Structure formats: C-alpha cells, structure tokens
Amino acid sequence: MGWHQILRLLGFLFFLHSSSLSFASALCPPDQRDSLLLFKNSFQLDGVAPSPCPGYYTSYRGYYTSYLKTNSWIKSVDCCSWDGVTCDGVTGNVVGLDLACGRLHGILHSNSSLFLLHHLQDLNLFGNNFIGSRISPNLSSFAKMTHLNLSRSQFSGTIPSEISHLSKLVSLDLSYPHPYDESNSLISLRLENSIFTMLAQNLTVLRKLFLDSVDMSMVSPKSFVNLSSSLTHLSVSSCSLRGIFPVSVFRLPNLSTLEMDSNEDMSGILPKSNWTGPLAYLSLMDTSFSGEIPNSIGDMKSLSVLSLGRCKFTGPIPSSLGNLKQLESLFLSGNNFSGAVEFEIFRKLQNLRGLSISQELNITDNRLSYAFPKLEALQLRSCNLTKFPYFLSSLQRLIILDLSMNRISGEIPMWFWGICHDTLNTLALSHNLLEGGIPQLYWKSLSIFHLHNNSFQGPLPIPPPSTSVFSASDNGFTGKIPSSICQLSSLSSLNLSNNNLSGNMPQCFGNMTNLRLLDLSSNKFQGPLSSSFLSHNEFNDIFLNTSLLVINLSNNKFGGSIPLPSPMTYYYSIASNKITGKIPSLLCNAIELQVIDLSNNSLIGTLPRCLMNFSTDLSVLNLRMNHLDGTIPQSFSSRNSLTTLDFSQNQFEGILPQSLAKCKNLEVLDIGSNQIEDTFPRWLGKLLELQVLILRSNNFKGLLDFPKGADLFPKLRILDLSTNNFGGPLPANLIMNLRGMNGENGQEKPLYMTRSFRSTPYENSVTVTLKGLETKLVKILTIFTTIDLSHNFFEGDIPGVFGHLHSLKGLNMAHNYLTGSIPPTLGNLTGLEGLDLSSNKLNGEVPRVLGDMASLGYLNLSNNQLTGRIPQDKHLSTFSSDSFSGNPGLCGTPLPKACPGDAPPPPPPSSSTFDRKGHESWFKPKAVLMGYASGIVIGISIAYIALETRRPKWLAQGVRMLERRTTEWMKKPNGKAIKFHGQ
C-alpha cells in the first residue's frame, strides 16, 4: 500500500471518528429542552383521539392530522427525538418546531419560553387555539427564521412591526380561514399599511406569503409593488383590500399562484400586453376587477386555474382561452360580458375539471361535438338555455351539475336521468320553466338536489338515500309526503315550501338525527303533529329531541298544541296555522332561538314571564293575531337583542312595560288592536333604532306633550296612533324631530326591512291604512313613511312643521277636532301619495299648492267647514266629489255645486218610477260597484308594488286615473252606496 493510499485511509478513518463524535454529541441542549417543556406546560391539552384537523386542504399546505404531539415530550428522552421537534445534526440546537394541529389551548404570552429557542428556523403552529393571544413582538428573536406559520390559531390584534425584521423568511402564513362572525364584521388580525410596507421591503427572499382574512383595509395596494421578485405564492383573499391593484404584480417573474378573491372593494385590470410567466393559479373572484379579459391571456401557457367569477369584467370572452390546453378550472360566471359565447371555444380544453359560465351560450346540437373526459364540475347558470345540452350524456365523471336560472322548459328528457349514474353528487335545476313529473331517481352518490322554483306537478319525488340537501319548494307538487322519505338517514336540509302538498307530516321527522332545516311552509298540511307522549296537552314534543336549527311550518292547517322546538333551533315559525292552547314556559329552554313567530293561530292565556328574557340572541318575537290576554310581562332584559316585537291583535291589557326601553336594538314595535290603557310612552323615543311604532286601536289617552328640542325617535318612519283617546294639540315638537321622515338620511338602505338569520330570511309585516283602506304590508319598504293620527280627539291647528317631512308617503288625521285652515306647507310634501283630513272642523279655502303634489293619488277633505272655490287650474278638480263632500261652503268641479258666476251644471237624469224592475235596476249598479271596490283595492296593491320597484310614476298615474274614473262613476245617483275613505 503506497503512502498516498495510507494517508487517504487515515483521513477517511479520522473523518468517521470525528463524525461519530459529532453525532454522539448532537443531543438537545438542556436549556432548550427545558424551554420546550415549559412551553408545553403553559397550555391546556385536548386529550381526545386523533382526528382530521379542523382546517382545509390546499395543494401547497397539504392535510394535517390533529393529535397531541407533545405527549412524547418527556424529560428523560432526548428532545431531538420528540414529535414535532427538529434539531441541527451537528450542534443539536432546536431548529424546527412543527406543532400544527397539536391541540394546544391557551394564551401564548410574550414572555413564553418559546422565544428562548433562538436557533429556530421553522415554526408551525397552524390549527391550535391561542384565543385571546396577540402575535408577540418577540418573534424578532428568531433571527434565522425561514418558515413561519401561525395560521388558523385564533391570534388577534395588530400584527407587530417586528415580523418585518425576519429578513430571512422564505414562507410566511398568518392567514385565518374563518374570520367572520354571523354579521360579517369581525376580523381577527389587522395589518397596518406601514407594517406591510416594511414587510414588503425587508423580506427580500420571501417566496410564499399567505394573509387570507387578515384585515388589510388600511393597506394601500400600491405597497404590493415592493414585494420580492422571488415571490411564487401570494394569497390575500378576504382581506378587505380597497383601491386599485397595481398591474405590475401580475408580471412578477416567479409568481405562480395569485389569490385575491373576496375583496369586493379592490379594483384593477388585467395586463393587456407583456404578460408571460409561470403563473398557474389566478383567482380574482368577488372583486371589482373590470375591463376586458385581454387576448394575451391565451399566452399564459402555465395557467391551470383561472377564477374570475363575480367581478365586473366586460366585453367579449376571448377565444384565446381555447389555447390554454392545460387549464383545469375556468370560472367566469357573474360578470358583464357582452354577446353570446360560442361553446366551441372550450372544446379544446380537454383537461378541464371545472367550468362555470353565466353568459348566453351557443351550443350545437351535435352530440359528438363536445367531449370533456375529465370534467367534474359544470355550472351553466343564467346562460339562457332553453333545453338540456345533449353533450351532457357523454360526460362520465361529472360530480356537480348546475343548470339553474335558465329558461329550460317542458318535461325533463328521459336520457337526462341516466347521466353520470355513479358520480353525480350535486344537481341544481332550480329557477327554470320545467314541468311534468319526476321519475324514481337512481343516482348512487347524489347528495344535493335542487328543484325549486319550477312548475313540476304530481307526487313529490324522493331522492336517493345518499341525499343530504333536498329543495323542491315553489312548485306544484301534490299529495302526501311519501313515507319513503324516512329512509333518507343523511338528510340535513328539506325545503318543500310553497307547493300543494297535503296530509299529515311524517312522524319520522322527529327521529331524523341529521336533519337541520325543515321548511314545510305554505302548503295544505293538516292535522295535529304527532308526538311521543300523548298524556300532556300543553305542548307537543315531536321536535324536542332533534337537532333542527330551522323549523318553518307556517301557512298550513296544522292543529293541536304547540310543537316545542329543539334546544338547538334558532328559527322557529308556526305562523298561520290552527295551533291551540297556551304558550308553554318550556319554550324558554330553547335558548338558541333568534326568531319566534307564533302569529295567526288560536293561542290563549297569558305570556310566560320567561319569554321576555330567556335568550340574549332572540331578535324576533311575533305573537300577532291570537287570543292572548293578561298583561305584557315587565321583564325585558338589558342584554336582549330584540329587533321586532309584534303583540298586535290580541287582548293584552294594562300598561306598556317600561322595561321595553331596554330593547336598544328594537326596530319594529306593534301593539295595535289590544286593550292597553296608558299614556303615550314617550320613553320609547330613546330607542335610536326604532323605525315602526304602531299603537292603533287601544285605549291610550292624554296629551302628546314633548319638550321643544327633544331628540326622540330619530329613525321613526311609520307612526300609527289611530283609534285611541289622545287629545289636545297635535305634537309639533315631536314632528320636528322625526328625522327618518324629513329626507335627511341619505345613506343607502336595503329595499325591505328584511333580516337574515344564518341565511334564513324573515320579513317584517304590518297593517296600516292606505288611501282609506286597511292594508297588510307583507313586506315593509324602507322608503315607506306614514303618520296616522286618525280617530282620536286632537284639536287646534295643523302645525306647519308637517311640511318638513319631505319623505312622507301617507298622512291621515281624519276624525279628530282639528280647526283652522289647511297649512300651505303641506305642499312641500312632494312625495305624498295619500292625504286624509276628513271629518274635522277645518275652515278656509283649499290651498292651491295641493294641486302641485304630483304624487298625490288619494285626497279626502270631506266633512269639514272648508269654503270657496276648489282650485281648477291644477289636478285637484280631477279627484272625485267624495274628496270634498260635506263642506257646504265649497263649490266648483268636481262638486255638483257651481260657484257664483259659473255656468249651471247639467240637470240630473230623470229617475223612473219604482216598478217591478226596481230591484233589478238597483242590484246591477251595486254589483258593478262591488267590482270597482275590488279594483280599487287591487289598484292600491299595484301602486304599492310600483313603489317597491321604484317605478311609481307611470303606474301610480294609471292607478289614480282608475280611481278617479271609478269615483266619478260612483257619484252618479245609484253609485253612492260605497265610499272608500274613513267615515
């Protein structure tokens, strides 16, 4: 052996020796071991069995399994072998800590021993529960950190600036997938603009940045231009970003994934040229990006996912999309594209797994034209389809098919029921013009089945046993619910509302453990609801042991005692049935309730005291139209969330409970048609959200005396005090403060006073007097404003301050003892549609300005002491004579009494003597009168609909013309039997 070989051998042996020494010494340093143990002991540990982590899967994060990783952390064992711990092979220092989904629970304090591990390079705390914790500034102690994941761990507060000091970071994930509460207003983490600017400038080697659902509302999109050119992944979905996103970010040389969806206030455009690169995943869904999709999109050869749904893109869908042969997912629905789309564009995309379009499509009937061998999800909503595309029969792997919101008519072809027999999971055919019956269904994997809003007839189809969601509402299905529905053990949501179904409700609904939503409203179901205990009469327990969240049985003919909701129920409506008996106090055990609607039944007895304060979440309590009596309990809690209280049309007595003043969120209070004896509840004026106050038809009395300048009822829009015993002067000081009616509140409002409870809507409704007729508004328009003070004992002048209520639509002060003249300031109410001052003691002339009120469709000044000529140069003369009758001093058209100097009116037609035809001649006009009465009621409804659609002008004019022609006909001798105003 030569010297060279000997030296090499000695060198190799020395290397092995030194390596073995280093390996032997690569134990976890005791101080770092102790720091880890202190960290472990600072948290509560959830010791249940391993399970899937409550997170979500993405291709770049992967799946996590939830289990107690720290169970293996024992002091007598080298910490480098502990689960989740990675050590340096030479020094033994702890360089990696992966506790993703480690079931840690508690606060991560800033002085945690975790921050003593200065050598950490990789820290993953994803999926734990550090609720109440803030991200510590001491993260800056990890100077060598390259990978940091704090996502979905319940951190809150502002992200500290120190995180921008981690200049070696390659991957940073602070995202939080579920940041919103029910009102979509709470975001856990906030990122200031200055801190994001530093982060973008300092993290020069950053490749992956995930900030989903972090509040970045204060971050300027301009700051994104400073991001590292090394960036490959950028995800800022649901971050409340606003402003114009810089187009240069799309051109970052290494960017492969860009997710910015669900930032509704962020706008921008796509690059029109020089747009190439490795971008493979682009999602801008639910943003305000606009402009045209450039033809250059066809040059992005790496694109596999293109999600541009629900944006504001315009122009044609470029045919160059057909060049993206590697494209797997394409979502373009919900934009403003122009022209029809040739479906031929997509024929080349043989790798498509998901396609979503909502644009008019031109699809050839050639059954061999389109073949998508990998297509799993197809959404062709709102594509103006008139029949089922036959190419669907060639698809083999379809999981999701959505053809809703089209114009597909007629019966479903037989070939359709056989598509994707083994794979179809979701089928949506809602909002079409489909009719006929539904055959037995054989899809093995069908889970979600939507048939609602069509014209299907015949017996109710029962989907396969695998179904979890079945919606067949708003059709014409008839007959009983088949007993086979009880076999759907996976069913979680069943909506059969608005059909013609009849018979009894299947008793098995009380045994379906997975059922969460049950909506049988607006059918013809009848009979008592079955229950397991037959001995008690106060309540029915059919739902008591279920997990139902929504129970809606309204508008049927169910009888018997109240079916108690599940303890989990939040929406509970049995309105408009034949339910009898008392309201049981056991109802108060359902503490999750947000909506209770027991209206229009035959309930009796007094209210359980607990009903006013059993739940801090209760928002709606509707007991209208029953036979309830006694007093309203004085037990409203200061922690309540009530927005709607409707006790109207019962037999409540006593006084209003002053604890109502604790209902700070109250918007609707209706106590109408009871036997309440009280003075006006001025203390309700401090309820700043109150919009509807109805005290009609009670025994309220006294003066409406308000101090000058009192800031009361700032949002009130509907005030009905009619048919009480109020007296004294009209409340001028109150009228001056009704800001909700004076047009000052110019902020954008929804169309109706509709509230949504976890996506389940509830409509407020009230009964008011419109144009002399009592009308139920099944929805309350937010622009509808009215004051009704009729049938009281008010006296004195009409205050001119009424003229400040510029938004007022209806004003009724009939049947009082008002005196003086009609104030000309009423002419300022240019939007007023109904004015009733009848049956008072008003004097003077009819103000000419009333003729300038173009929206005025109903006017009643009858039975007063008005004098002079009715102004003829405006449209006042086009109202019926009933609008002015009972004023002996009035003259001129439309009254038959001529004014001095006018030509005499034509003589009335001669009446024939009474003969055997007299009854017939009286009966015929009366029958026609009744028809006109119905027509006027319909006309008022149409006028209200016109108001809803914000196109009242032309339609309201037509309604007024109909009313005037009617009343002109009615003033004929045989037409005076029926009047349409308060008398």
Side-chain angles (χ1 to χ4, degrees), residues 317-343:
I317 293 178
S319 58
S320 60
L321 286 174
N323 299 333
L324 304 178
K325 297 182 179 181
Q326 73 291 337
L327 205 60
E328 297 182 7
S329 296
L330 176 60
F331 298 97
L332 301 176
S333 57
N335 283 282
N336 301 312
F337 296 120
S338 59
V341 180
E342 296 296 333
F343 200 69

Coordinates of all heavy atoms in Angstrom, one line a residue, residues 317-343:
I317 N -65.9 37.4 -24.2 CA -65.0 36.4 -23.7 C -64.0 36.0 -24.8 O -64.4 35.5 -25.9 CB -65.8 35.1 -23.2 CG1 -66.6 35.5 -22.0 CG2 -64.8 34.0 -22.8 CD1 -67.5 34.4 -21.5
P318 N -62.7 36.2 -24.6 CA -61.8 36.0 -25.7 C -61.7 34.5 -26.1 O -61.6 33.6 -25.3 CB -60.4 36.5 -25.1 CG -60.6 36.4 -23.6 CD -62.0 36.6 -23.3
S319 N -61.6 34.4 -27.4 CA -61.5 33.0 -28.0 C -60.1 32.4 -27.6 O -59.9 31.2 -27.7 CB -61.7 33.0 -29.5 OG -60.8 33.9 -30.1
S320 N -59.1 33.3 -27.3 CA -57.8 32.8 -27.0 C -57.8 31.9 -25.8 O -56.8 31.2 -25.5 CB -56.8 33.9 -26.8 OG -57.2 34.8 -25.7
L321 N -58.8 31.9 -25.0 CA -58.9 31.0 -23.8 C -58.8 29.5 -24.3 O -58.3 28.6 -23.6 CB -60.2 31.2 -23.1 CG -60.3 32.4 -22.2 CD1 -61.8 32.5 -21.7 CD2 -59.3 32.4 -21.1
G322 N -59.2 29.3 -25.5 CA -59.1 27.9 -26.1 C -57.7 27.5 -26.2 O -57.4 26.2 -26.5
N323 N -56.7 28.4 -26.1 CA -55.3 28.0 -26.3 C -54.7 27.4 -25.0 O -53.6 26.8 -25.0 CB -54.4 29.2 -26.7 CG -54.8 29.7 -28.0 OD1 -55.4 29.0 -28.9 ND2 -54.6 31.0 -28.2
L324 N -55.4 27.6 -23.8 CA -54.9 27.2 -22.5 C -55.2 25.7 -22.3 O -56.1 25.3 -21.5 CB -55.5 28.1 -21.4 CG -55.4 29.6 -21.6 CD1 -56.0 30.3 -20.5 CD2 -53.9 29.9 -21.6
K325 N -54.6 24.9 -23.1 CA -54.9 23.5 -23.1 C -54.6 22.7 -21.8 O -55.1 21.6 -21.5 CB -54.2 22.8 -24.2 CG -54.6 23.3 -25.6 CD -53.9 22.6 -26.7 CE -54.4 23.2 -28.1 NZ -53.8 22.5 -29.2
Q326 N -53.8 23.4 -20.9 CA -53.5 22.8 -19.6 C -54.5 23.2 -18.5 O -54.4 22.8 -17.4 CB -52.1 23.1 -19.2 CG -51.9 24.6 -18.7 CD -52.0 25.6 -19.9 OE1 -51.8 25.2 -21.0 NE2 -52.3 26.8 -19.5
L327 N -55.5 24.1 -18.9 CA -56.4 24.6 -18.0 C -57.3 23.5 -17.3 O -57.9 22.7 -18.1 CB -57.3 25.7 -18.7 CG -57.9 26.7 -17.8 CD1 -56.9 27.6 -17.1 CD2 -58.8 27.7 -18.6
E328 N -57.4 23.5 -16.0 CA -58.2 22.6 -15.3 C -59.5 23.2 -14.7 O -60.5 22.5 -14.7 CB -57.4 21.9 -14.2 CG -56.2 21.1 -14.7 CD -55.4 20.5 -13.5 OE1 -55.9 20.5 -12.4 OE2 -54.3 19.9 -13.7
S329 N -59.4 24.4 -14.3 CA -60.6 25.1 -13.8 C -60.7 26.5 -14.4 O -59.8 27.3 -14.4 CB -60.4 25.2 -12.2 OG -60.4 24.0 -11.6
L330 N -62.0 26.8 -14.9 CA -62.2 28.0 -15.5 C -63.6 28.5 -15.0 O -64.6 27.9 -15.2 CB -62.3 27.9 -17.0 CG -62.7 29.1 -17.8 CD1 -61.7 30.3 -17.6 CD2 -62.8 28.8 -19.3
F331 N -63.5 29.7 -14.2 CA -64.7 30.2 -13.6 C -64.9 31.7 -14.1 O -64.1 32.6 -13.7 CB -64.6 30.2 -12.1 CG -64.5 28.8 -11.6 CD1 -63.3 28.2 -11.2 CD2 -65.7 28.0 -11.4 CE1 -63.2 27.0 -10.8 CE2 -65.6 26.7 -10.9 CZ -64.3 26.2 -10.6
L332 N -65.9 31.9 -14.9 CA -66.2 33.2 -15.5 C -67.5 33.8 -15.2 O -67.9 34.8 -15.7 CB -66.0 33.2 -17.0 CG -64.7 32.7 -17.6 CD1 -64.7 32.6 -19.1 CD2 -63.5 33.6 -17.1
S333 N -68.3 33.1 -14.4 CA -69.7 33.5 -14.2 C -69.8 34.8 -13.3 O -68.9 35.1 -12.6 CB -70.5 32.4 -13.4 OG -69.8 32.0 -12.2
G334 N -71.0 35.4 -13.5 CA -71.2 36.6 -12.7 C -70.5 37.9 -13.1 O -70.2 38.7 -12.3
N335 N -70.2 38.0 -14.4 CA -69.6 39.2 -14.9 C -70.6 39.9 -15.9 O -71.8 39.6 -16.0 CB -68.3 38.9 -15.6 CG -67.2 38.7 -14.7 OD1 -66.6 39.6 -14.1 ND2 -66.8 37.4 -14.4
N336 N -70.1 40.9 -16.6 CA -70.9 41.7 -17.5 C -70.5 41.6 -19.0 O -70.4 42.5 -19.7 CB -71.0 43.2 -17.1 CG -71.5 43.4 -15.7 OD1 -72.5 42.9 -15.4 ND2 -70.8 44.2 -14.9
F337 N -70.1 40.3 -19.3 CA -69.6 40.1 -20.7 C -70.7 40.4 -21.7 O -71.9 40.3 -21.4 CB -69.1 38.7 -20.8 CG -68.0 38.3 -20.0 CD1 -68.1 37.3 -19.0 CD2 -66.8 39.0 -20.1 CE1 -67.0 36.9 -18.2 CE2 -65.7 38.6 -19.3 CZ -65.8 37.6 -18.3
S338 N -70.3 40.8 -22.9 CA -71.2 41.1 -24.0 C -71.3 40.0 -25.0 O -70.3 39.2 -25.2 CB -70.8 42.4 -24.6 OG -69.5 42.3 -25.2
G339 N -72.4 39.9 -25.6 CA -72.6 39.0 -26.7 C -72.7 37.5 -26.3 O -72.5 37.2 -25.1
A340 N -73.1 36.7 -27.2 CA -73.2 35.3 -26.9 C -71.8 34.6 -27.1 O -71.0 35.1 -27.8 CB -74.2 34.6 -27.9
V341 N -71.6 33.6 -26.3 CA -70.4 32.8 -26.3 C -70.5 31.6 -27.1 O -71.5 30.8 -26.9 CB -69.9 32.5 -24.8 CG1 -68.6 31.8 -24.9 CG2 -69.8 33.8 -24.0
E342 N -69.6 31.4 -28.0 CA -69.6 30.1 -28.8 C -69.0 29.0 -27.9 O -67.8 29.1 -27.5 CB -68.8 30.3 -30.0 CG -69.3 31.2 -31.0 CD -70.7 30.8 -31.6 OE1 -71.0 29.6 -31.6 OE2 -71.5 31.7 -31.9
F343 N -69.7 28.1 -27.5 CA -69.3 27.0 -26.6 C -68.1 26.2 -27.3 O -67.3 25.6 -26.6 CB -70.4 26.0 -26.3 CG -70.2 25.2 -25.1 CD1 -70.2 25.8 -23.9 CD2 -69.9 23.8 -25.2 CE1 -69.9 25.0 -22.7 CE2 -69.7 23.1 -24.1 CZ -69.7 23.6 -22.8

